[in-house]
Amino acid sequence: MKEKNKENMGYILELRRIVGQRPLIMTCAGVLIVNEKNQLLLQRRKDNGLWGYPGGSMELGERFEDCAVREVLEETGLTCLELEHFMNVSGECVHYIYPNGDEIYAAEEVFLCRRFSGELQKQVSEVMELRFFDVDRLPEKREITPNNFPAIDYYRNEYQANEITKEKKNVL
């Protein structure tokens, strides 16, 4: 991962000083972390009290993969050992206004991580709680950060479809 220097730390914070709360296209990366029991790791955010996956905005010169690994480590204490592309998400479905009034349209690369190391340790400034959920017991839509819902819902649907396919194969 490229080492960040002082002048590119907090890129979005720097932009906010210039544009205020006006809408920004925020380039970001997120990670759906899945453990050996096929449970999905979600974090309850401090800013809105809702569940979502680890992730955040990219810094200048950072690759999507580097952003994803950095954000997961910062927010969860886990190190991603392997990432695979899961989906890109952008447009109205990931429009979001933060509780402080900052408005974004995310342009996000979402990764899947099944191989990771470390022990869960929440980032005190941003995270209230970290928890692995069974796919059939994920929080309801109203409990999930709106711009994280499309990827979480897609994962839930893909997982359930694959489970149905596995069941059909076992029957044949």
Side-chain angles (χ1 to χ4, degrees):
M1 183 176 353
K2 180 183 171 197
E3 202 56 43
K4 292 186 286 183
N5 56 34
K6 284 185 179 184
E7 62 265 10
N8 68 9
M9 294 292 286
Y11 176 68
I12 292 295
L13 294 176
E14 278 294 313
L15 281 178
R16 285 285 171 214
R17 287 188 200 136
I18 297 166
V19 302
Q21 295 180 313
R22 291 176 49 200
L24 291 176
I25 296 172
M26 189 165 81
T27 308
C28 46
V31 183
L32 300 174
I33 298 173
V34 180
N35 67 13
E36 67 283 346
K37 298 176 186 173
N38 284 318
Q39 296 171 315
L40 182 63
L41 178 66
L42 296 178
Q43 61 186 13
R44 187 183 296 267
R45 298 172 54 105
K46 274 193 174 180
D47 63 354
N48 63 15
L50 301 175
W51 293 98
Y53 47 80
S57 63
M58 293 174 68
E59 298 297 340
L60 293 174
E62 197 170 39
R63 297 177 321 127
F64 283 108
E65 294 87 348
D66 296 337
C67 176
V69 169
R70 174 181 53 79
E71 289 287 345
V72 167
L73 183 60
E74 289 173 2
E75 295 175 1
T76 71
L78 300 177
T79 299
C80 295
L81 301 175
E82 192 174 294
L83 293 174
E84 65 180 86
H85 169 76
F86 182 67
M87 70 183 294
N88 295 321
V89 63
S90 59
E92 282 296 327
C93 70
V94 285
H95 171 252
Y96 182 66
I97 301 174
Y98 287 92
N100 70 359
D102 291 351
E103 187 172 358
I104 66 156
Y105 287 84
E108 185 171 18
E109 174 84 14
V110 182
F111 296 95
L112 191 60
C113 177
R114 293 180 185 278
R115 291 190 56 237
F116 54 89
S117 65
E119 295 193 24
L120 284 178
Q121 183 174 0
K122 67 182 179 180
Q123 183 180 31
V124 178
S125 62
E126 292 184 24
V127 180
M128 292 170 51
E129 180 182 357
L130 294 166
R131 186 188 321 167
F132 279 98
F133 288 87
D134 291 329
V135 176
D136 59 349
R137 295 197 174 152
L138 290 170
E140 295 178 31
K141 182 177 183 175
R142 64 181 171 74
E143 300 172 298
I144 296 174
T145 298
N147 59 325
N148 283 187
F149 183 76
I152 292 170
D153 194 48
Y154 185 70
Y155 177 79
R156 174 188 6 235
N157 293 333
E158 284 296 301
Y159 179 84
Q160 290 171 341
N162 287 334
E163 287 300 305
I164 291 168
T165 303
K166 286 178 191 172
E167 288 175 17
K168 286 182 182 178
K169 286 181 182 175
N170 289 337
V171 171
L172 296 177

